[in-house]
Amino acid sequence: MSTHTELIKLLDIADAIPSAVMLRARSYELLRLRPGDSAVDVGCGAGRAVAELYDRKVAAVGVDVSEEMIAVAQQRWPDADFRIGNAYSLPLGDHEVTGYRADKVFHELNDAIRALAEANRVLAPGGRTVLIGQDWDTFVIDSEQPDLTRTIVHARAELTPNPRAARSYRNLLLGSGFREVEVEVHVGVFTDKTMLGMVTGIAEAVHAAGIITREQYDAWTAEQIRRAEQNRLFLALPLFVGSATRG
């Protein structure tokens, strides 16, 4: 199974969680789009948000750097508009859209200011932007090994290009000339096997980077697997939603 296939499977599971469905709906509300408006979903992945925007009669364009993701999105929703591109150079004209959405994207970007400059370029005056993402330093995982857990969470954050981007949404948007800037925090709480793959994946990445030993990795993941089997898993994940209006 390819890395992208595994990622798509994990995204599908996460996207179907009721709190994730509600958060996507909230992002559409914050975009303030009306039927006939246009929007871009940056980092669209397998295209679910684009399809949901289409259902709201919005002319949505999904953009992703991954050709494989775009191929999956086009296969799932053949009538929707998906394009290969990146956050720094969107395949759109100046002031072409009235909404800009980026979900779990900015922590992967080394230059958030440059990405927001591109958002400003493609947005029409008065257009709306919504940024959604987790702060990788604030994962809360229950464990009998709190010191090791702290090490794993912090180390995984440092393996991410911009792990604390979400806590910076307000200042990033203000610094990029947006107005009506607001930030919300939505906390996802997971207590069953649904997100076990994400929890163990954090430790796997840290072990692969040589930060924890094989013995530490085995012991920690075994505990989390046992917790999931006994209905004792606990993951709390704060998700930040920044919204603003282009000047």
Side-chain angles (χ1 to χ4, degrees):
M1 184 178 292
S2 71
T3 301
H4 275 99
T5 301
E6 293 174 356
L7 176 59
I8 291 169
K9 182 179 179 180
L10 181 60
L11 288 174
D12 283 344
I13 292 171
D15 283 347
I17 295 170
S19 59
V21 175
M22 291 176 62
L23 186 59
R24 287 198 305 278
R26 178 58 179 156
S27 75
Y28 309 148
E29 291 173 2
L30 290 169
L31 285 172
R32 301 177 187 169
L33 297 169
R34 296 168 296 183
D37 283 346
S38 56
V40 59
D41 188 42
V42 181
C44 67
R48 187 181 299 270
V50 171
E52 290 175 346
L53 286 168
Y54 264 71
D55 289 341
R56 292 169 178 252
K57 311 302 181 184
V58 173
V61 177
V63 176
D64 203 283
V65 297
S66 168
E67 293 183 15
E68 186 172 350
M69 285 288 191
I70 291 295
V72 171
Q74 288 178 328
Q75 182 178 25
R76 290 182 175 183
W77 292 285
D79 294 333
D81 187 351
F82 296 103
R83 308 175 190 179
I84 296 169
N86 65 70
Y88 303 131
S89 181
L90 296 171
L92 295 166
D94 293 352
H95 315 311
E96 186 175 338
V97 295
T98 48
Y100 173 103
R101 182 181 183 275
D103 187 350
K104 303 179 188 67
V105 172
F106 272 59
H107 64 258
E108 296 289 352
L109 303 178
N110 290 312
D111 193 344
I113 294 294
R114 182 182 169 196
L116 285 176
E118 181 68 352
N120 262 313
R121 182 186 71 79
V122 302
L123 273 172
R128 295 279 294 171
T129 183
V130 173
L131 311 178
I132 309 166
Q134 66 268 38
D135 186 304
W136 284 77
D137 251 349
T138 56
F139 281 42
V140 180
I141 303 171
D142 193 17
S143 171
E144 298 161 5
Q145 307 167 78
D147 291 340
L148 178 57
T149 302
R150 189 178 303 112
T151 296
I152 289 170
V153 170
H154 180 71
R156 179 63 185 87
E158 295 310 310
L159 294 174
T160 305
N162 196 353
R164 288 165 285 278
R167 70 179 67 174
S168 300
Y169 283 164
R170 182 175 185 273
N171 288 325
L172 286 169
L173 289 163
L174 287 171
S176 297
F178 286 87
R179 57 185 175 83
E180 298 181 318
V181 178
E182 297 181 353
V183 176
E184 302 176 356
V185 182
H186 300 254
V187 181
V189 177
F190 308 99
T191 57
D192 58 23
K193 294 182 179 181
T194 304
M195 298 299 279
L196 178 62
M198 172 178 278
V199 173
T200 58
I202 292 170
E204 184 177 359
V206 173
H207 172 252
I211 299 168
I212 60 173
T213 66
R214 181 72 195 189
E215 290 74 18
Q216 289 174 313
Y217 167 76
D218 287 343
W220 195 84
T221 55
E223 180 198 345
Q224 295 302 319
I225 291 169
R226 184 175 67 254
R227 283 174 173 269
E229 291 172 346
Q230 297 173 352
N231 193 30
R232 293 294 185 270
L233 186 76
F234 185 89
L235 165 67
L237 184 61
L239 288 157
F240 294 80
V241 183
S243 61
T245 302
R246 185 191 187 281

